[in-house]
Amino acid sequence: MIRRLCAALSAVLLTAGLVACSPPNMGRVVPRAASEGLRDSSGVPTPPPTSTTTPPPGPQPPEKHSGKGSATVTMAWPMRMGFVTFDCPKCSGHVAVNTENELIVNDSGPYKGTQWINDMPGYRAKTFTIKANAAWTLTITDESGLPVLEPGKPLSGKSEAVFSVPDTVSSVAVTTKNSGRTAVWVHSDDFSDLPVNQLGDYKGDVPVPGPAFVSIEGDETWTVTAS
């Protein structure tokens, strides 16, 4: 679950020719198909059980917090994926944001970036612990607050970002320019995968069968293009 720590350690281990750590693939549990032709004790056929598929959650209003310096923040975000943008434009030195089990920001200021929370089924983060030395804002949104990767339309930026990938997309071309680590996470079907995790510049195509979410983590600039 500690996404950035595991990814960073994996990149270092890979350069040394050692085995890298990777997060577990937590897939959905799919119920068996309903049996047909069942009868009760009187011999009367019983109807098949109703579907237990959970419908997609509806819109969730954004949740915003602000402060100055290090702090602990209790969040009200429900048990669903959320996308956290942390902005500390005047921070210097080490900047960190973590939940109970996950380090989502681990950088140096000034900092602005977006990461996700609650990507594991049944998990709900309740508290942020923030390390900063200046004024900051923290905003959580649902997927409607994300930029959408449209085929053939490149998006560029810096630091961490998350994109919504529609079902018309099959892959994402990623180019990064940095002297540190490049990581690309893909979240689909209730679990997260790490197809790219390396040191230095990266250029390549990442399979991303939409609908999905893609997270880019890099120390400098990146460009992503869906196809």
Side-chain angles (χ1 to χ4, degrees):
M1 255 320 265
I2 301 181
R3 195 164 58 235
R4 288 182 56 86
L5 281 180
C6 181
L9 178 59
S10 296
V12 174
L13 292 176
L14 285 171
T15 61
L18 301 176
V19 177
C21 71
S22 60
N25 289 340
M26 298 292 291
R28 289 179 297 176
V29 178
V30 181
R32 293 183 299 173
S35 301
E36 297 181 358
L38 298 179
R39 296 175 180 270
D40 61 19
S41 58
S42 63
V44 178
T46 59
T50 58
S51 173
T52 58
T53 302
T54 302
Q60 179 71 26
E63 179 178 339
K64 298 183 179 181
H65 301 274
S66 61
K68 186 176 182 179
S70 299
T72 299
V73 176
T74 301
M75 71 182 87
W77 196 258
M79 190 182 292
R80 62 179 290 174
M81 279 193 76
F83 302 92
V84 180
T85 298
F86 185 75
D87 186 11
C88 191
K90 295 185 178 181
C91 269
S92 60
H94 187 211
V95 179
V97 179
N98 64 274
T99 65
E100 295 87 345
N101 295 306
E102 187 171 16
L103 181 63
I104 62 174
V105 175
N106 185 30
D107 217 315
S108 58
Y111 176 87
K112 183 178 182 179
T114 301
Q115 287 281 12
W116 60 53
I117 57 172
N118 297 353
D119 59 318
M120 302 285 281
Y123 174 74
R124 174 177 176 257
K126 299 178 182 179
T127 305
F128 290 114
T129 301
I130 297 167
K131 180 180 180 180
N133 61 3
W136 50 263
T137 59
L138 185 152
T139 305
I140 316 173
T141 69
D142 63 16
E143 57 274 13
S144 65
L146 296 176
V148 178
L149 283 182
E150 300 181 21
K153 296 183 178 181
L155 295 177
S156 298
K158 186 178 181 179
S159 191
E160 285 75 41
V162 179
F163 307 96
S164 177
V165 180
D167 57 9
T168 54
V169 171
S170 59
S171 68
V172 174
V174 178
T175 301
T176 65
K177 297 287 187 181
N178 63 73
S179 58
R181 183 180 59 87
T182 294
V184 180
W185 290 86
V186 178
H187 181 86
S188 179
D189 291 332
D190 288 346
F191 70 88
S192 298
D193 191 21
L194 181 62
V196 178
N197 184 34
Q198 69 172 49
L199 295 175
D201 297 347
Y202 174 82
K203 184 175 182 178
D205 292 331
V206 180
V208 183
F213 302 109
V214 172
S215 171
I216 304 293
E217 298 177 5
D219 293 330
E220 293 296 336
T221 60
W222 46 257
T223 299
V224 293
T225 308
S227 61

